[in-house]
Amino acid sequence: MSLRTVSRKFAAAAIIAALTCLTAAAQTSPEAFLGHKVGADRKLADYGRIRAYFEKLDAESPKLQLLTIGESTLGKPMIMAVITSEANMGRLDRFREITRRLKDPRTLSPEEAAKLAGEGKAILLITCSLHASEIAASQMSMEFAYDLVSGKTPFDANKVLEDVIVLLVPTSNPDGHQMECEWYAKNLGTKYEGGNMPWIYHPYAGHDNNRDWFMFNLSESKAITKVLYHEWLPQIHMDEHQMGSDDARLFVPPFMNPPVPNVQPLVWRGVNLCGVNMAYDLQKNGFRGVVHGRSFTGWWIGACDDTGWLHNTLSLLSEAASVNLATPIYVEPTEISKEYAEKRMEFPDPWPGGWWRLRDIVDYELTLSMSLVRTASLYKEDLLLNFYRMNKDSIEAVDKGQPYAFVIPAAQNDLPTALKMIGILMYGGVEVRRAAADFVAGGRLYPAGSFVVLMAQPYKPYAWALLEKQKYPDLRQFPGGPPIPPYDNAGWTLPLQMGVTCDEVETPFEVRLEKLDKAPSAVVPDGQGLGAYVALSSKANAAYTAAFALLKDKAEVFRTKAAVKVKGADLPAGSFVVKGTPEVKKALPGLLAKLGLTAVDLEDVADISMAAIKNPRIGLYRSWWSNMDEGWTRYVFDDLGVPYVTLRNADFKAPKKGKLDLKAKYDVIVFPSENIDIIKTGKIDPASPWARWFTPNPPEYSGGIEKEGIEALKTFVEEGGILVTLNEACGLAFKDFEVPAMNALEKLDRTKFFCPTSILKLKVDPAAPIGYGLPEETAAVFSDSVAMATWIPTSTEWDRRVVASFAEEGVLLSGWLLGEDAIARKAAVVDTRHKKGHIILIGVAAQMRAQSHGTYKFLLNALLYPEDI
Ligand SMILES: [Zn+2]
């Protein structure tokens, strides 16, 4: 139901509610509906049951209204319950308008803001079970909603729901939730009960669905972001998760160091206030083992609960100790680590060990969720007014080190990608403006049409943190000792990841700016794509999409062997040239318009040295472990229109009759980043620190590509196949093939080299087929990556070409790097040739989380390798 129909429905509902309140119709409890207590051992409500229960409450209670806020990746409706008093329910549009007005102090005086804060209602958003195996909150949500609408609360619900509008998303990941429920049911009563699924719990992202919250690749992130920063603007947002089983029972904020520096201090104070109230309410009700200030830092932007900090929202995270999905566990007291066995100021009541059940998690989460409702009610006016104050400060106060603006010049290496980035910024609530005339900023001349992100805007902290280069503080275990790793990325700078030029400008400048009201699209000239030949620059990722689409339709496509200037246009090496057949002329203009591409029409190509490419048969390996990088690679392929088939372990075994011939079926085989023991054997080295997190898989999901697969891959390469190893999977090439390259970082401990996910500077050879279309200097994401030493091959059967190497100095662009000397000048991407084929080693995270668009081309070039180079 759309928001508009909701409010119309409630104009009528208010009258009906007034008539029916005397009869106080009873609401069905979740226990009565499900036939078991919420969180009972080994009982789970799947997504269909949860939805059905909320629909029932929607029909039974005037205090709950169920909305559809979007669709999951696999097309399930995403639901959100609005819970508030009957009187408020009839005026939701007004309350949403109030928060929208409080967001923009440029059009609201402090006096008006105070008045609106008096009239408005605090909005609290609770999102559950984004990580689908952290399933308790999704179950809890039903009881929480029921308790609120039926008044079974530790406070006067009638009074509190007059002040507060609760928004409740029972699961932020319906597809994953359904997968987990089905997997659990299938293995119930077997030795695999409660074990991990052999695939990721989201069609593309798995656990990384909590790394997408500034990029919005996933439809689930899009739906909730719309609620957060466009439609409802909650002042408090809580995202409920689970963590490991043995230590604290629950984490609630305050968060631990370090903070993202751009966040307003009042956000942290408000987060701490909510956190302390939760811990207080839990303690007074006898809940033991609650910790704050450990494990979860204030330095991160990609998680659901974290981007809120940068939008002046009190954004919180809870992490409860896990059970085996719905199966209880027993924790021996001696299994609890010392730091969680001893009393500390941030952990005053250690949990002694014992049985731990799904219902325990539900109880902790119910209590903390109720506590938040109470806090929202106690501080209702304050929360609304402080939201206004923080937005006002964002605009008026100039923070230390704050730039005046960021400028995204109109001229870009890859314009469609730059425009895409602007759309992504706007989806996150950033105001972007376009210059109506040429202007000078920071001593540089920018043409009209360049984009400007002024820092004086309500969501300044977000825009700033996303566009600037991060400098992660040098935190050590002791002075001069090993580093304390960040929670996730140390750096994430979006323009660097996407290969977009974006300049930070410190001093104010004058120019007439127009605020964009929708994401910009490229202006594509009419009548292009009709020449005898049509050339597309290899600089744009979208040109590769066009090439794949044309190849699929059997067009003749070539790649230029060197940079060439034609009709005034500079075409870098590897640019695409398409023969203008009648079919091409029919399809190409529409394709170019859709992709925002500008083409060069050519009469003849006699002077251009070109090599043909064919529609490649691509295989993408997928193990029986939940490999997120495989999911993201698949996402990138789907997003860019790359054709592929998924290869399973069975595809690396000879059929019952006949022999295994990979070259007969595939031209390119891609191994996403993954531990090579898992690729080869399906088992992790028992000595690995991660080994204890791996539960055994049922036999049909066991094994790896095995020796037979490795041998088949060797033959595949020898016969002309292209094997691509991404990031960690490069280990496969180092260990099992005789590539003239090795990982120079392999034996270095953290005191010698340390680079948690950060962005580093690469020197690229754009004349090399794998470097086509890239600028000579680019930024690449380093994340558990490799830096290679190569050598002169000892056999003529091998050759190597270093496509990209880490810069000589100034390697770190954003994040944290210790031991620059260990990585400077080492190879990052190497094209090795073996007999008739190639092994392409892409040692950086070239397509990580579908964020690093700036380095997609390393992978895309490997897929569209010209035949006779
Ligand atoms: Zn989680």
Side-chain angles (χ1 to χ4, degrees), residues 470-623:
Q470 278 71 48
K471 290 187 197 78
Y472 195 85
D474 190 348
L475 299 175
R476 309 294 183 111
Q477 290 174 16
F478 51 86
I484 302 171
Y487 185 73
D488 203 282
N489 284 41
W492 49 73
T493 316
L494 192 59
L496 290 179
Q497 287 207 63
M498 295 188 75
V500 175
T501 306
C502 176
D503 300 328
E504 186 172 329
V505 181
E506 280 171 33
T507 47
F509 53 87
E510 290 285 322
V511 59
R512 191 159 63 79
L513 296 170
E514 288 153 5
K515 192 173 149 204
L516 301 182
D517 54 7
K518 63 176 179 20
S521 49
V523 181
V524 175
D526 281 339
Q528 57 167 4
L530 300 171
Y533 287 87
V534 182
L536 293 169
S537 167
S538 56
K539 288 180 178 180
N541 289 346
Y544 292 74
T545 298
F548 279 113
L550 292 161
L551 286 166
K552 185 170 166 251
D553 287 343
K554 309 210 169 10
E556 279 182 58
V557 184
F558 307 85
R559 299 195 74 175
T560 61
K561 290 185 178 180
V564 58
K565 196 171 179 115
V566 282
K567 292 172 89 178
D570 285 316
L571 294 175
S575 289
F576 298 94
V577 176
V578 191
K579 190 172 178 193
T581 59
E583 294 78 26
V584 166
K585 285 179 185 172
K586 194 166 165 227
L588 197 52
L591 191 60
L592 296 174
K594 192 175 123 205
L595 295 170
L597 282 170
T598 298
V600 185
D601 284 336
L602 304 168
E603 272 59 66
D604 74 86
V605 289
D607 297 339
I608 302 177
S609 170
M610 313 188 300
I613 51 171
K614 62 177 183 185
N615 197 17
R617 300 165 302 165
I618 300 166
L620 177 63
Y621 175 69
R622 186 174 186 183
S623 71

Side-chain angles (χ1 to χ4, degrees), residues 243-251 289-291 319-321 340 347 351:
M243 56 182 180
S245 305
D246 345 345
D247 293 334
R249 294 302 89 193
L250 180 76
F251 164 89
V290 179
V291 69
E319 295 271 359
Y340 285 96
F347 189 58
W351 181 69

